[in-house]
Amino acid sequence: MRPIHIVFDRGQGEARFSGAAMPRLEFRQALFRSPLPGWQRRLYPATLLVTTTAIGDDGRKLMVDNQSMRFSLLYNSTWPDPVFLHIRAWHYKPVELRKGLRVAEWTVEMRLRDLRLGPEEVMEIMVLG
């Protein structure tokens, strides 16, 4: 597994990558940089939506799986800063397919949901995959 550093900002709202092997992701760290006060209230309803797609030899989608990683699972109201160095609450479940299906390509797309980033705000996610 190799580290993947994902940066979301106002101009970059999603991250995509693909490969020939089924993705196995381990979320390790997250950082929300914002000059605005009250980050706890803004981040509480937000999620990182992870969409995994299996594509067959003929280019058709064999399966699409969506998993929501809730930021509210990472902290409580006494958490001092929006820095999460040891994520243990986000568990990505690898996709299960029927036996005999041939997958030519896997794609993973990640995007923030319920968090609109301002001009000076950045969300960084570190994943092993």
Side-chain angles (χ1 to χ4, degrees), residues 2-125:
R2 63 180 175 87
I4 302 169
H5 183 219
I6 301 166
V7 179
F8 297 105
D9 59 21
R10 192 171 189 167
Q12 180 67 32
E14 63 183 40
R16 294 181 183 194
F17 48 94
S18 61
M22 182 186 332
R24 300 196 188 290
L25 304 175
E26 291 181 22
F27 292 90
R28 293 302 178 110
Q29 297 179 353
L31 165 68
F32 178 48
R33 286 188 282 151
S34 174
L36 303 174
W39 65 268
Q40 292 94 340
R41 287 187 307 277
R42 290 194 54 225
L43 203 53
Y44 189 80
T47 60
L48 177 69
L49 182 63
V50 180
T51 302
T52 306
T53 306
I55 300 170
D57 291 333
D58 56 359
R60 290 184 317 149
K61 293 180 181 178
L62 300 174
M63 183 275 326
V64 177
D65 178 64
N66 293 301
Q67 297 181 42
S68 292
M69 308 300 173
R70 300 194 57 81
F71 286 97
S72 62
L73 296 174
L74 303 180
Y75 68 95
N76 60 33
S77 62
T78 63
W79 200 266
D81 295 310
V83 177
F84 313 102
L85 297 178
H86 303 288
I87 295 177
R88 300 193 195 293
W90 286 359
H91 303 287
Y92 176 82
K93 295 179 183 80
V95 182
E96 293 185 27
L97 290 174
R98 291 189 324 248
K99 283 190 171 191
L101 285 179
R102 291 181 42 116
V103 178
E105 181 182 20
W106 293 89
T107 62
V108 175
E109 179 181 316
M110 295 182 194
R111 61 186 175 277
L112 296 175
R113 190 168 67 187
D114 297 328
L115 179 65
R116 183 163 291 170
L117 296 174
E120 297 179 24
E121 293 181 319
V122 174
M123 174 66 73
E124 295 185 45
I125 309 281

